Amino acid sequence: MKKMFTLGMLSALVVMTSCRREESQNISQDRIYSEYEVIFDAGKNQTVANATFRADHSTGTKIELSFPARIKFRNENMSWKNVTGNYQLTVNGNGFSNYFTYTDLDENNFENQSFDVSYIDLPNGLNSISKNGNFFLPWNGDPLRSGETVRVVIKSKEGGERSWSVTSVNSTHIVLDQYKLSQINEGLAEIWIERTKSDGLIMVPDAGGRMSCTWRSNEQTIQILN
């Protein structure tokens, strides 16, 4: 019984450590690292903006801003999400090219414009994918540019998800390899494609920061065949 209690306490300690947060008033303001993310979901015609602050670097302890420090997207206050440990704002339509404005406790303002990511969609007439070999999947939209990644995700109705990515400049297609396809159950599945541009932030505290912006296509139902 004592051993079980000890293991339980250890598990709880691991969870508490992994979820540990810091308040920005307890850290030098130039040590705050900024992560911004903008996702436009074309199927929902909706944009979700996320902002995460960390201590020192991209894997540092998450930080909650202490009042009056604040973060805005397109001049609207972003809400703190305690479960995920970041700030979020959802807006209707395509929210690309709007600004994140972060104000620290020293009243320094850091303004960064989100990237304008170009349209991408699945090819017309895609109804099924066979697991018997590699699948050549072209996309509708511009060729891949420097700093961009195109990703395809297939999510089985019965559970399980696989994804493929390509980063080669000027690519106009992606190959879904047979090995990953073979791990998806036969039957109905959802598929979507997304284009992401990522780069470092220009206006940030000394710790730096990064932004990623994603155009996500509408989800489409397909049949996975043997």
Side-chain angles (χ1 to χ4, degrees), residues 151-180:
R151 188 171 78 114
V152 170
V153 181
I154 298 180
K155 186 174 183 179
S156 171
K157 293 284 191 179
E158 298 181 8
E161 182 177 300
R162 292 293 180 270
S163 66
W164 296 259
S165 299
V166 60
T167 57
S168 301
V169 175
N170 293 324
S171 294
T172 58
H173 72 276
I174 187 168
V175 176
L176 313 184
D177 65 275
Q178 183 182 12
Y179 176 72
K180 284 187 179 179

Side-chain angles (χ1 to χ4, degrees), residues 119-165:
Y119 156 90
I120 193 168
D121 204 355
L122 295 164
N124 300 326
L126 180 63
N127 299 312
S128 63
I129 292 179
S130 171
K131 299 167 37 169
N132 281 332
N134 294 342
F135 189 85
F136 181 92
L137 181 67
W139 61 74
N140 291 331
D142 294 336
L144 206 60
R145 300 186 179 95
S146 178
E148 292 184 338
T149 299
V150 164
R151 188 171 78 114
V152 170
V153 181
I154 298 180
K155 186 174 183 179
S156 171
K157 293 284 191 179
E158 298 181 8
E161 182 177 300
R162 292 293 180 270
S163 66
W164 296 259
S165 299

Side-chain angles (χ1 to χ4, degrees), residues 48-103:
V48 177
N50 294 294
T52 305
F53 298 98
R54 296 179 181 272
D56 300 317
H57 47 71
S58 61
T59 59
T61 302
K62 288 185 176 181
I63 292 173
E64 181 177 2
L65 301 179
S66 306
F67 184 82
R70 54 203 177 274
I71 176 69
K72 294 183 177 183
F73 181 70
R74 71 170 200 181
N75 208 32
E76 296 181 46
N77 287 318
M78 302 181 69
S79 300
W80 169 256
K81 303 298 180 182
N82 196 52
V83 174
T84 54
N86 71 347
Y87 292 83
Q88 189 176 104
L89 179 69
T90 301
V91 298
N92 292 326
N94 185 332
F96 292 144
S97 298
N98 284 288
Y99 286 84
F100 286 92
T101 304
Y102 162 51
T103 305

Side-chain angles (χ1 to χ4, degrees), residues 35-49:
E35 294 177 342
Y36 298 150
E37 179 185 46
V38 180
I39 302 172
F40 171 60
D41 189 324
K44 297 178 180 178
N45 191 32
Q46 194 173 73
T47 298
V48 177

